[in-house]
Amino acid sequence: MELLVVDDPGALAREAAARIADMVAERPDALLLAATGETPMGSYAELARLRRAGTLDTSSLRVAQLDEYRDTDASDPHSLYGWMDRALLEPLAIDPARVIRFAADEPDAELACRSYDAEIVAAGGIDIAILGVGLNGHLGFNEPPSSADAPTREVALTPESVESNRAYWAGSTIPDRALTAGMKTILATRRAILLVSGPRKAGILDRVLRSAPDPWLPASHLHRHPDAIVIADRAARPVA
Ligand code: PGA
């Protein structure tokens, strides 16, 4: 797994966006697996800027959701789909018909997960994944422990994840279950970019970089990915 350390969050956003834009130039109908969370927001804003500047054509780009809270539907502003819509789909003019999403309000979670996976297979697989890492080492909602072949599934969120979602659920009950693309799906992407920003992520990033693939540190499975890069800013990676 390659590591690229850049000066600050602005440089991180530009670097990640440039790599996505290169992929889209090569393959205009690329399928992008897109994380929500704070970390990729600058990269998505930069992609929107490139589109406005006329240097990025997103008219065929396709997007897949990485994870979703259980029992939320796409119109729920709290849903991760809602977040992705505001941050990525709308600014890049990506029609919902070009989005693979979780039917998280489907009563049968297993069915929702199998249909998500089937759509990804039918779409030809994921070309590029933009990921963030949780303070507990999760990727998507692959909470520790998650094996490298963990399938797309319904998961119980760890107390740390529920806590870090609190800010987004002012006044309402924070969900403690979610659907997530499995580690197996994440490891099958053609290219993976893990974005890590800020001093609070320095400890977990150091562990991920040093660790052999370990179910208790799901992001460490990226060491097995054939084309994975970590792009970190200096605050997240103060040491060389
Ligand atoms: P963050 O979330 O980008 O908001 O830090 C990352 C994650 O928990 O996966």
Side-chain angles (χ1 to χ4, degrees), residues 11-165:
L12 183 139
R14 287 190 295 278
E15 186 63 44
R19 285 165 188 260
I20 298 166
D22 284 351
M23 166 65 86
V24 177
E26 219 174 89
R27 194 182 289 215
D29 67 345
L31 178 57
L32 167 69
L33 181 67
T36 48
E38 291 303 328
T39 315
M41 292 303 120
S43 310
Y44 298 160
E46 178 63 13
L47 286 174
R49 194 190 66 74
L50 294 175
R51 175 172 175 269
R52 285 194 305 275
T55 51
L56 172 68
D57 176 2
T58 57
S59 60
S60 305
L61 179 63
R62 299 171 299 157
V63 172
Q65 210 179 356
L66 177 63
D67 45 18
E68 183 58 276
Y69 297 120
R70 190 74 178 107
D71 297 327
T72 53
D73 69 36
S75 64
D76 184 338
H78 285 120
S79 69
L80 295 176
Y81 186 90
W83 190 350
M84 187 172 79
D85 189 34
R86 294 186 295 277
L88 183 70
L89 306 180
E90 201 273 326
L92 296 189
I94 293 169
D95 188 275
R98 284 187 277 129
V99 181
I100 298 176
R101 58 173 286 264
F102 282 105
D105 52 346
E106 155 69 54
D108 183 344
E110 181 59 22
L111 184 68
C113 292
R114 297 295 66 82
S115 104
Y116 169 92
D117 278 342
E119 279 189 71
I120 287 183
V121 170
I126 293 162
D127 295 297
I128 187 161
I130 295 298
L131 304 166
V133 62
L135 291 172
N136 64 359
H138 73 198
L139 282 187
F141 279 132
N142 288 280
E143 302 282 55
S146 288
S147 64
D149 61 358
T152 297
R153 66 205 184 284
E154 180 176 16
V155 290
L157 301 183
T158 59
E160 294 102 306
S161 292
V162 172
E163 196 46 46
S164 55
N165 297 334

